[in-house]
Amino acid sequence: WGPTGFPIIRSAVTQFSRIFYFLERKPSPDFEMYQEIFGQQMRTVCVPPVTYDHLKMLMPERFRLGVLDDIFRSWKNVVDKVNDGFTQPRTIYYEHDHHIYHSDVLTKTTHQAQFGDIQGTYVKLANNGFFYPRERELQVLKQDVVRHQGRAWCSLDVQGHAADFPTIFAFAKSFLNADHPKAQIFYNFCEDRCDLQFFCANRMLVVTFEPGYPCDSDFDIDHWQSL
């Protein structure tokens, strides 16, 4: 099965549904005549729908929030060797699930009326290989959180889910040099997104998981897009 993410599956199933819709339609008279002349046989194939419940039954391990922590650990294994404080924008290449991914890291200072100048470090990682569980299966703290110009976000209970992200929480404490940084977990089932934010004094660390694909030659994204 490989590290294929849910966005790819959803896209592929949609495209296959369109293809087989046309294959199963009643052929037109012109098409029947074409088959008689050239003797080409058309075979009807039925594809069972891929649903959330089917996926969770087949691959329950892919619905663990801990999969995101596994991805971060793969990234951290590389960062431990090159970490310079990320004072300059960096692109980090790391291996996960036998594929190579790239990660963008950016540090910038923003001004907030409540806190003043905040130096934020932003880490963007691909969530490929993780299937997002429904919100009702998680410990949700608040619904309809406005974030990134959208309202489909919710915030998760940090105490209830900190154990799912041991590597990320440990890295945040070390990176911010704080034993108890303020943490927030934002989750978006509809857009396949998850953001973890950590604050301490005037510093912030944001780890973002969003749809992304491997960048190595063994993974041909053009094949999926052509379906």
Side-chain angles (χ1 to χ4, degrees), residues 14-27:
T14 300
Q15 295 298 327
F16 275 123
S17 297
R18 293 173 181 169
I19 293 172
F20 287 109
Y21 167 76
F22 288 106
L23 288 179
E24 293 177 343
R25 292 175 60 187
K26 181 176 176 58

Side-chain angles (χ1 to χ4, degrees), residues 30-41:
D30 291 338
F31 183 74
E32 290 180 337
M33 181 178 68
Y34 178 91
Q35 282 188 305
E36 273 190 43
I37 294 175
F38 295 100
Q40 182 174 354
Q41 299 296 319

Side-chain angles (χ1 to χ4, degrees), residues 18-168:
R18 293 173 181 169
I19 293 172
F20 287 109
Y21 167 76
F22 288 106
L23 288 179
E24 293 177 343
R25 292 175 60 187
K26 181 176 176 58
S28 67
D30 291 338
F31 183 74
E32 290 180 337
M33 181 178 68
Y34 178 91
Q35 282 188 305
E36 273 190 43
I37 294 175
F38 295 100
Q40 182 174 354
Q41 299 296 319
M42 176 61 70
R43 198 167 51 141
T44 300
V45 182
C46 295
V47 178
V50 178
T51 67
Y52 177 93
D53 293 331
H54 289 158
L55 285 175
K56 194 163 187 181
M57 180 180 64
L58 291 171
M59 294 173 288
E61 71 282 358
R62 292 291 184 177
F63 287 82
R64 295 183 304 106
L65 290 179
V67 172
L68 297 179
D69 195 71
D70 295 340
I71 294 172
F72 185 86
R73 186 182 303 110
S74 297
W75 174 86
K76 181 179 177 295
N77 289 339
V78 176
V79 169
D80 285 343
K81 304 174 184 177
V82 301
N83 187 2
D84 58 359
F86 301 122
T87 56
Q88 300 293 328
R90 295 286 299 273
T91 297
I92 306 293
Y93 290 91
Y94 62 98
E95 181 179 350
H96 181 73
D97 249 353
H98 310 293
H99 286 288
I100 304 299
Y101 295 83
H102 87 269
S103 163
D104 295 322
V105 183
L106 172 67
T107 296
K108 62 180 181 180
T109 299
T110 58
H111 182 80
Q112 298 183 15
Q114 184 179 359
F115 303 103
D117 290 340
I118 302 292
Q119 184 187 63
T121 299
Y122 302 83
V123 179
K124 290 188 176 183
L125 298 172
N127 59 19
N128 203 32
F130 172 63
F131 296 163
Y132 283 72
R134 294 188 179 109
E135 293 176 358
R136 65 172 178 264
E137 300 171 11
L138 305 174
Q139 299 182 46
V140 176
L141 188 66
K142 184 179 179 181
Q143 295 276 9
D144 297 324
V145 175
V146 178
R147 185 172 178 80
H148 301 307
Q149 300 179 346
R151 298 186 62 89
W153 291 81
C154 70
S155 61
L156 302 183
D157 180 50
V158 174
Q159 291 186 348
H161 287 293
D164 294 317
F165 306 101
T167 310
I168 300 177

